[in-house]
Amino acid sequence: AALLKPLAGFYALAMVASMGVALTLTPALSMLLLKGTSPAGESVLVRGFRGIYDAVFAGATEKPRTALIVVVVVALVGVAAFPFLARHSLRPTFKENSLLIDWQGPPGTSYVEMSRVATETGEALRAIPGVRNVSSHVGRAFNGDQVVGINESQLWVNLDPDADYDATVAAIKGVLDGYDGMGELLTYAGKQMMDVERERGTSSDDLVVRVYGHELDILRDKAEEVQGILSGIAGVVNPQVDYPVEEPNVEIAVNLEAAKVHAVKPGEVRRAAAIVLSGHAVGHYYEEQKAYEVVVWGTPETRESVEAIGDLLIDTPSGTVRMDEVAEVRMAPAPSVIKREKVSRYMDVIAQVQGRSRSAIAAEVKSRIEAIDYPLEYHAEVYGAFVGGQAARNRILSLFIAALIGIYLLIQASFGGWRLALVVFLSLPMALAGGVLSAFAVGGLSLGALLGLLAVFAITVRQVQMLIKHYQHLGQQEGFGAALVQRGTRDRLGPILLTTVAIAVLVLPMVFFGNTAGLEIVHPMAVVILGGLVTATVYTFYGVPALYLLFGASAEPDALKL
């Protein structure tokens, strides 16, 4: 939406400006510059166009029903191919020279290890031809705005503008593949968009069911129950519980009965363990206008041994007692990261969807998970890439349908007949068939491809409207018939083909330059426009004359040569 809104605004302003020029400046300049001039003769180029028309397209007026069948078949091909263009997002991937590697090690990875890996990766990246420099940082900077752990880092890679972009990026991905998926290659714009999506609660996964609660064991049980329910829903593929990463942890459970015998309070046990294992600041040391905390901490030999922790002495009113006499010291798995949202822990069940309508799958998933018996303060909600944008898509679909109805009414007002307007409106997909098929060459329906289809649609509607209005103008003088349609098509042949050729010449450089940096939107748009102009031209000169002969006016049966 952030990209479409300004594009739509500029397009609307351009249409208003062009209409103003056509209604004011063009007539005035024509009166001034064409006054007293005689009509120019027919150019060689136009005569060549007419020869092509007579050889290729004139048969539409002789056998209009055959031409109608061709129009229907081509239109159906375009409509059938359109669903296969769908991509996860219309957002283009910009070829920025500044790349970001979002590096995430296993939870609990030390600063020393992360620094070693970042340094090693940086050296490997600098050796790639086309990489100009690499910089990195580990963890969170002092007073930084990114709340990350020490096991996370970022590497900034700057590419040489003259380097082969695709080859350089492929080589960078090859280096990252050697680290078992620890690094994710992004652009700066892609990183910012990803952060926005995370803030809004969306996800790159098709379907996410988020189970909220407090106790991890209950969350795990409910998430596995949700997984089982999703497995039985048609269209949901490979549901999996996103279990939290666990790591070994020292667990000290106070034995209240034993502590009571020795007159030891549970808090004293916890404080003693915390001081030895985590440290406790007892003061500050000042040197050269710098302050350093003085921390009391256990020796490494004590901290790294369960037996040594159990042998720690705790003061009592009657002397000392070992920790393992008043508490149970053991190793137990514990989650390294606690995920929270809405003041509650949560656990996700993620899945992909296919084979069914996404809205239907979302509705069934919501109804099925609401039937689960949850304990107090536990519940589940449905998220995901398509669920979060369902309302927006419905709103866009409503506006799209309203726009189509408006276009049909405008066509009817121009042609003056409901039947002809309906036939032309329903056959317009033939004009877009070439653009739809060309979109496969640029990776599917991206933002640029969509703009290209809209441009071809606008050009086709304009050319068809001009051609049919010319037919109707001639019909007022000569009557309805195949000869009139052929003459009208030849009259408008030059302007329509010259406009088409001019547009094709304009977009050809964008096609030849390829998908280079700066042309991520323009290149697919140019390819789709070029492909769409081919079928749009065939539709204008082959399909429209046949449609006008069949549905344009009430004629005598012998007026048509079928």
Side-chain angles (χ1 to χ4, degrees):
L3 294 173
L4 287 174
K5 187 175 180 179
L7 287 172
F10 285 128
Y11 184 79
L13 289 176
M15 291 296 99
V16 172
S18 63
M19 183 174 63
V21 171
L23 296 178
T24 58
L25 184 60
T26 301
L29 291 177
S30 298
M31 292 293 296
L32 292 174
L33 301 178
L34 299 180
K35 185 178 180 180
T37 61
S38 57
E42 192 176 71
S43 66
V44 177
L45 183 61
V46 174
R47 287 197 298 270
F49 286 158
R50 288 189 176 179
I52 296 174
Y53 168 77
D54 293 336
V56 179
F57 301 118
T61 57
E62 300 174 359
K63 297 182 178 180
R65 296 189 186 278
T66 302
L68 176 62
I69 295 174
V70 173
V71 170
V72 171
V73 171
V74 176
L76 291 177
V77 170
V79 172
F82 188 81
F84 296 96
L85 294 175
R87 303 199 314 180
H88 182 72
S89 175
L90 294 177
R91 184 178 66 203
T93 302
F94 297 103
K95 293 190 172 183
E96 301 180 44
N97 290 327
S98 295
L99 303 179
L100 170 65
I101 298 175
D102 201 6
W103 201 269
Q104 185 167 4
T109 306
S110 66
Y111 170 77
V112 175
E113 179 63 15
M114 289 300 298
S115 297
R116 183 194 68 80
V117 173
T119 302
E120 179 182 291
T121 307
E123 293 175 353
L125 294 176
R126 290 188 189 94
I128 297 175
V131 175
R132 190 155 57 181
N133 55 61
V134 180
S135 58
S136 64
H137 71 263
V138 177
R140 176 184 179 183
F142 186 71
N143 290 333
D145 60 344
Q146 295 183 355
V147 183
V148 296
I150 199 64
N151 62 309
E152 299 183 36
S153 66
Q154 290 182 337
L155 284 81
W156 294 89
V157 183
N158 189 261
L159 305 183
D160 189 341
D162 298 329
D164 187 337
Y165 187 91
D166 293 333
T168 305
V169 170
I172 293 174
K173 290 181 178 179
V175 172
L176 299 183
D177 291 340
Y179 290 89
D180 195 21
M182 290 177 58
E184 182 180 8
L185 184 61
L186 303 167
T187 62
Y188 179 77
K191 173 64 174 176
Q192 298 304 310
M193 293 180 182
M194 183 182 297
D195 291 341
V196 171
E197 290 175 353
R198 288 173 179 171
E199 291 176 2
R200 293 180 177 179
T202 57
S203 170
S204 59
D205 298 291
D206 285 339
L207 179 65
V208 177
V209 178
R210 183 161 294 176
V211 184
Y212 293 92
H214 300 289
E215 297 296 333
L216 187 60
D217 293 338
I218 300 177
L219 274 178
R220 182 182 290 108
D221 293 340
K222 290 300 174 183
E224 292 174 351
E225 185 177 351
V226 170
Q227 180 187 14
I229 290 175
L230 295 182
S231 300
I233 297 177
V236 178
V237 180
N238 193 26
Q240 295 181 347
V241 179
D242 185 17
Y243 293 105
V245 178
E246 295 182 340
E247 60 183 6
N249 194 45
V250 177
E251 188 175 277
I252 301 176
V254 179
N255 187 333
L256 297 179
E257 294 297 331
K260 184 178 179 180
V261 171
H262 294 281
V264 176
K265 297 178 181 179
E268 294 175 349
V269 177
R270 289 193 292 268
R271 279 192 295 272
I275 291 173
V276 174
L277 300 179
S278 302
H280 179 68
V282 297
H284 292 82
Y285 170 70
Y286 298 92
E287 182 180 358
E288 297 180 357
Q289 300 182 349
K290 297 180 181 179
Y292 302 91
E293 283 189 335
V294 178
V295 179
V296 176
W297 198 13
T299 62
E301 295 79 8
T302 302
R303 299 194 309 270
E304 296 173 359
S305 171
V306 175
E307 292 76 11
I309 296 173
D311 291 337
L312 290 175
L313 299 178
I314 300 174
D315 293 331
T316 69
S318 59
T320 59
V321 64
R322 294 199 317 273
M323 182 173 289
D324 58 5
E325 294 182 27
V326 294
E328 182 182 358
V329 182
R330 58 179 181 265
M331 296 295 294
S336 58
V337 177
I338 299 177
K339 298 181 180 180
R340 288 184 177 272
E341 185 180 76
K342 301 177 181 179
V343 200
S344 177
R345 283 186 177 185
Y346 70 86
M347 190 176 294
D348 289 338
V349 182
I350 60 178
Q352 280 70 44
V353 297
Q354 65 182 21
R356 285 181 62 193
S357 168
R358 293 186 168 190
S359 58
I361 293 176
E364 184 175 353
V365 169
K366 288 181 180 179
S367 63
R368 297 282 292 274
I369 66 172
E370 288 175 356
I372 297 176
D373 185 17
Y374 297 99
L376 183 63
E377 297 185 349
Y378 287 78
H379 70 285
E381 296 181 10
V382 181
Y383 293 96
F386 75 92
V387 176
Q390 191 65 40
R393 278 189 289 273
N394 292 337
R395 184 168 61 253
I396 292 174
L397 180 61
S398 300
L399 294 174
F400 179 72
I401 294 175
L404 290 179
I405 294 174
I407 292 172
Y408 171 66
L409 293 177
L410 289 174
I411 293 176
Q412 189 278 333
S414 175
F415 295 164
W418 293 98
R419 186 176 63 170
L420 178 61
L422 180 62
V423 172
V424 171
F425 182 77
L426 295 178
S427 63
L428 281 173
M430 175 193 172
L432 302 178
V436 171
L437 297 178
S438 299
F440 285 101
V442 290
L445 189 62
S446 62
L447 177 62
L450 179 61
L451 294 176
L453 290 175
L454 293 177
V456 173
F457 182 82
I459 293 169
T460 305
V461 171
R462 176 181 177 275
Q463 292 178 346
V464 170
Q465 191 270 344
M466 293 175 58
L467 188 59
I468 292 182
K469 290 298 292 183
H470 189 59
Y471 292 157
Q472 293 175 339
H473 173 71
L474 294 178
Q476 295 175 356
Q477 303 173 357
E478 303 178 9
F480 182 81
L484 175 143
V485 173
Q486 289 184 358
R487 177 188 168 187
T489 306
R490 289 191 181 96
D491 290 343
R492 303 305 305 169
L493 188 68
I496 292 176
L497 278 181
L498 288 175
T499 302
T500 303
V501 171
I503 296 174
V505 171
L506 182 65
V507 301
L508 272 176
M510 306 173 195
V511 175
F512 291 142
F513 283 143
N515 193 16
T516 58
L519 298 179
E520 294 88 352
I521 295 179
V522 177
H523 172 68
M525 180 179 68
V527 172
V528 170
I529 289 177
L530 197 61
L533 288 177
V534 175
T535 49
T537 302
V538 175
Y539 172 72
T540 303
F541 294 126
Y542 187 75
V544 174
L547 294 176
Y548 188 77
L549 281 173
L550 293 173
F551 307 100
S554 55
E556 295 295 331
D558 58 351
L560 303 179
K561 297 180 180 179
L562 302 180

